[in-house]
Amino acid sequence: GQQVMQIPQYQHVQEGEDFTTYCNSSTTLSNIQWYKQRPGGHPVFLIQLVKSGEVKKQKRLTFQFGEAKKNSSLHITATQTTDVGTYFCAGRGATNKLIFGTGTLLAVQP
Amino acid sequence: DSGVTQTPKHLITATGQRVTLRCSPRSGDLSVYWYQQSLDQGLQFLIQYYNGEERAKGNILERFSAQQFPDLHSELNLSSLELGDSALYFCASSATGEKQPQHFGDGTRLSIL
């Protein structure tokens, strides 16, 4: 079945450093969504990418959808302590189900 | 505040028991999703309902069942509970359309003793 993997599982950075998480699907995706879950919280929708090669920015966050629509990335520039949390990608494939990735836990040291 | 309400927030019970988790979706949302999140695990999709009908099924055990009522609230029933069922159970809702984002409730933390 469709699988969505994310790397790394965990990343520890110093405040001000950049951070990137990568999302890879075993199948072609019609769209991909990104969510953030703060410690002790619930996932919160960040953004959706639909087109091949699409790039979207939200302040310090840059989201990219691969040309083959099988991978995506989230890059955070100059991390802040408020960026702490687990970032999930979620892809929709042929089954039309939204499959969540394994998540990347980001820790930011002040 | 996502607009999705889940009750109870915490539930402690014993093995072999049965529990019911409840979810009220955002006003106007017809789709409801249930997820299980175990410690240090990702979000495992269990089941989706749309306007009262089952729409999609994930890795939901036979001991688990769900339904969506005419007022669109949903319940997840977990029976013959095992220690491994201890987890955070999230409900999410979305507007109609496959490209709609999902809005999550605060979850129900289930602890099996």
Side-chain angles (χ1 to χ4, degrees), chain A residues 15-70:
Chain A
E15 190 173 19
E17 291 181 340
D18 291 358
F19 159 77
T20 304
T21 173
Y22 300 91
C23 176
N24 294 288
S25 170
S26 57
T27 60
T28 302
L29 303 171
S30 59
N31 59 62
I32 194 156
Q33 298 176 353
W34 284 90
Y35 292 77
K36 176 184 177 181
Q37 184 177 16
R38 292 181 187 274
H42 59 265
V44 175
F45 173 77
L46 295 176
I47 207 161
Q48 176 169 255
L49 305 169
V50 178
K51 299 176 185 174
S52 168
E54 188 171 11
V55 178
K56 286 187 176 180
K57 292 190 175 184
Q58 284 181 350
K59 297 182 181 179
R60 295 177 295 103
L61 277 61
T62 301
F63 303 84
Q64 195 161 11
F65 201 5
E67 293 290 340
K69 300 183 79 173
K70 292 181 72 173

Side-chain angles (χ1 to χ4, degrees), chain A residues 30-31 33 35 37 41-43 45 48 50 88 92 96-98 100-102, chain B residues 2 35 37 41-43 45 56-58 90 98-102 104-106:
Chain A
S30 59
N31 59 62
Q33 298 176 353
Y35 292 77
Q37 184 177 16
H42 59 265
F45 173 77
Q48 176 169 255
V50 178
F88 291 100
R92 193 179 299 277
N96 210 32
K97 297 177 194 174
L98 191 67
F100 278 78
T102 46
Chain B
S2 67
Y35 293 88
Q37 186 173 47
Q41 293 291 314
L43 287 157
F45 169 67
K57 235 175 181 177
F90 284 109
E98 66 176 41
K99 294 178 182 173
Q100 296 297 321
Q102 294 185 14
F104 285 76
D106 289 338

Side-chain angles (χ1 to χ4, degrees), chain B residues 51-67:
Chain B
N51 201 22
E53 299 288 327
E54 182 183 305
R55 175 62 66 92
K57 235 175 181 177
N59 299 324
I60 188 166
L61 300 172
E62 284 191 15
R63 300 183 286 108
F64 296 0
S65 65
Q67 53 185 328

Side-chain angles (χ1 to χ4, degrees), chain A residues 4-19:
Chain A
V4 181
M5 303 297 293
Q6 279 182 257
I7 54 170
Q9 268 191 301
Y10 172 77
Q11 180 103 46
H12 180 218
V13 300
Q14 294 285 329
E15 190 173 19
E17 291 181 340
D18 291 358
F19 159 77

